[in-house]
């Protein structure tokens, strides 16, 4: 599968196999997109996640917290790239202490890139419950924000694409079709 074949470029792609990921990285680079490869294995908490993201995305100044991560990853102007970005993630298993926190950032980041019309694709090898629930909860917040009378046009939930385990590139489910058990208990 190629980057321009992904019909949902402003989406969270879960369960992306290694072979599909390799194809996407090669194609993204051929389209002059920047590729960020993240591995959350060994990250112990949200503070470690924030420091890791600051390092990988080369923030132009020191930051702290997940709100700063959303703001800076939603911009990346210091790279000067207008061709887009591919972010690949490994190690976001249900056992990971940072998978949920990272998943909660993604809808806000993608919503901002969508308004800038610069391709931003997030692929995650895993598709566990904690990750899905965090993305679904953050999407619910975006949906509510999009209903406010003063919201930006187009503000709303982002698509979540769950790839099957054995078939590279085939889209199986999008957020609206996913079972309600994705929602975390309140």
């Amino acid at each position: 599968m190629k980057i321009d074949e992904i019909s949902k470029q402003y989406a969270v792609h879960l369960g992306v196999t290694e072979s599909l990921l390799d194809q996407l990285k090669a194609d993204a680079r051929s389209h002059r997109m920047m590729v960020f490869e993240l591995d959350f294995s060994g990250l112990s908490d949200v503070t470690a996640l924030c420091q890791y993201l600051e390092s990988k995305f080369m923030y132009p100044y020191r930051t702290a917290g997940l709100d700063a991560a959303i703001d800076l990853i939603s911009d990346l102007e210091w790279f000067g790239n207008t061709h887009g970005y591919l972010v690949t993630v490994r190690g976001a298993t249900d056992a990971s202490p940072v998978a949920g926190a990272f998943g909660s950032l993604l809808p806000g980041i993608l919503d901002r890139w969508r308004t800038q019309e610069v391709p931003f694709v997030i692929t995650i090898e895993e598709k566990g419950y904690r990750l899905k629930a965090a993305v679904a909860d953050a999407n619910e917040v975006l949906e509510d924000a999009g209903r406010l009378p003063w919201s930006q046009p187009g503000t709303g939930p982002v698509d979540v694409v769950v790839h099957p385990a054995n078939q590279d590139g085939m889209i199986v489910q999008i957020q609206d079709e996913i079972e309600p058990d994705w929602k975390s208990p309140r």
Side-chain angles (χ1 to χ4, degrees):
M1 176 177 275
K2 297 183 181 290
I3 285 289
D4 51 4
E5 291 174 346
I6 294 179
S7 62
K8 303 288 183 184
Q9 287 195 350
Y10 304 100
V12 179
H13 293 264
L14 300 174
V16 178
T17 63
E18 190 170 343
S19 61
L20 176 57
L21 187 58
D22 290 341
Q23 292 172 32
L24 290 173
K25 287 189 296 189
D27 194 58
R29 288 183 175 115
S30 75
H31 282 82
R32 299 187 331 204
M33 294 174 72
M34 288 191 74
V35 176
F36 293 94
E37 298 181 59
L38 308 179
D39 186 348
F40 294 163
S41 303
L43 294 180
S44 59
D45 57 26
V46 172
T47 300
L49 172 64
C50 291
Q51 292 169 346
Y52 180 76
L53 294 173
E54 180 180 342
S55 169
K56 293 300 275 189
F57 288 99
M58 298 179 247
Y59 296 169
Y61 49 85
R62 300 273 309 151
T63 65
L66 296 175
D67 289 338
I70 292 172
D71 287 342
L72 288 163
I73 297 170
S74 298
D75 186 352
L76 302 178
E77 69 181 8
W78 54 95
F79 292 114
N81 185 326
T82 59
H83 301 286
Y85 301 88
L86 171 65
V87 177
T88 69
V89 180
R90 292 192 167 142
T93 65
D94 272 342
S96 167
V98 300
F102 182 72
S104 71
L105 303 176
L106 302 180
I109 291 169
L110 286 166
D111 184 59
R112 292 178 185 188
W113 280 107
R114 181 170 54 191
T115 62
Q116 297 175 60
E117 298 181 358
V118 175
F120 198 90
V121 179
I122 299 174
T123 63
I124 303 175
E125 192 174 273
E126 294 79 16
K127 54 183 173 182
Y129 174 79
R130 182 180 290 178
L131 190 59
K132 291 177 188 176
V135 173
D137 287 348
N139 251 346
E140 192 173 295
V141 170
L142 267 181
E143 185 172 20
D144 291 344
R147 290 188 187 120
L148 298 171
W150 56 83
S151 70
Q152 294 273 335
T155 297
V158 300
D159 291 319
V160 176
V161 179
V162 179
H163 295 262
N166 298 331
Q167 300 172 359
D168 289 343
M170 183 179 184
I171 295 173
V172 176
Q173 297 174 314
I174 297 178
Q175 175 92 25
D176 296 338
E177 301 168 3
I178 293 173
E179 298 296 321
D181 69 338
W182 267 40
K183 304 241 178 184
S184 63
R186 296 208 189 273

